[in-house]
Amino acid sequence: MRRYLVVANQTLGGAELSEEIRKRLEGEPCYFYVLVPNTRARDYYSFAAAAGHVPMGAVIAECAPAMDEEAAAQARSRLEQLLDRLHQLGAKAEGELGHADPLEAIGQALATRQFDEVILSTLPQPISRWLRMDLPRQVRRGCGLPVVVITARD
């Protein structure tokens, strides 16, 4: 059974990540461990703002959580929805809300579990904090596993 570490937060419900997971499910049996770095409220961004549909400040004021507790609740909800979908598809899956620093959260997951591949789902450039911090390269260098980067579209 192939074991995948899926790392995402705001992109958990995105079509791109769902397609990548679906591809894995077509092959041999899979286990998915979904890690959601507990992004702080101030680090949230909007897909609509990224696409230039409305001014960034207007979207953040309307869509972004105001408090870290609200951000955590939203992340927990997205995690539960994805785990439910994976279970409905017959996949073995579990997950957790991790450290706010995605590299720290990934390091903690890798220290306690074995995986065959990391699937990292991010917001698009230029708003992705994870891409700005070069998270994909850091994870590749640090874990020695294949890292697939999925970039959400709007």
Side-chain angles (χ1 to χ4, degrees):
M1 176 179 295
R2 301 275 300 166
R3 300 174 58 84
Y4 299 96
L5 172 59
V6 177
V7 184
N9 187 334
Q10 287 180 266
T11 60
L12 273 176
E16 297 80 12
L17 179 58
S18 294
E19 176 63 19
E20 198 66 30
I21 288 172
R22 186 193 60 72
K23 286 185 214 173
R24 304 289 186 298
L25 288 168
E26 288 175 352
E28 63 187 285
C30 300
Y31 165 80
F32 296 94
Y33 187 80
V34 183
L35 175 63
V36 182
N38 194 6
T39 304
R40 295 171 296 220
R42 70 175 183 234
D43 293 327
Y44 266 68
Y45 296 99
S46 166
F47 285 111
H53 298 150
V54 295
M56 172 93 72
V59 173
I60 290 175
E62 291 177 15
C63 301
M67 309 266 302
D68 289 345
E69 294 80 12
E70 184 182 352
Q74 289 177 9
R76 205 173 287 108
S77 175
R78 283 190 295 273
L79 170 62
E80 291 304 319
Q81 289 172 14
L82 179 59
L83 290 175
D84 286 346
R85 282 195 313 267
L86 288 169
H87 292 145
Q88 289 170 5
L89 294 170
K92 183 174 179 185
E94 57 186 341
E96 71 174 322
L97 221 54
H99 194 280
D101 178 333
L103 195 56
E104 177 74 20
I106 292 167
Q108 290 172 355
L110 291 171
T112 59
R113 293 171 180 81
Q114 297 288 335
F115 298 102
D116 299 301
E117 184 176 50
V118 177
I119 301 171
L120 180 65
S121 179
T122 74
L123 292 167
Q125 287 281 15
I127 64 169
S128 172
R129 183 174 60 92
W130 293 1
L131 293 178
R132 282 195 311 273
M133 66 186 279
D134 202 11
L135 184 62
R137 184 185 59 78
Q138 291 185 61
V139 172
R140 280 186 192 102
R141 188 178 63 203
C143 74
L145 295 171
V147 177
V148 174
V149 179
I150 308 301
T151 303
R153 295 185 294 267
D154 104 307

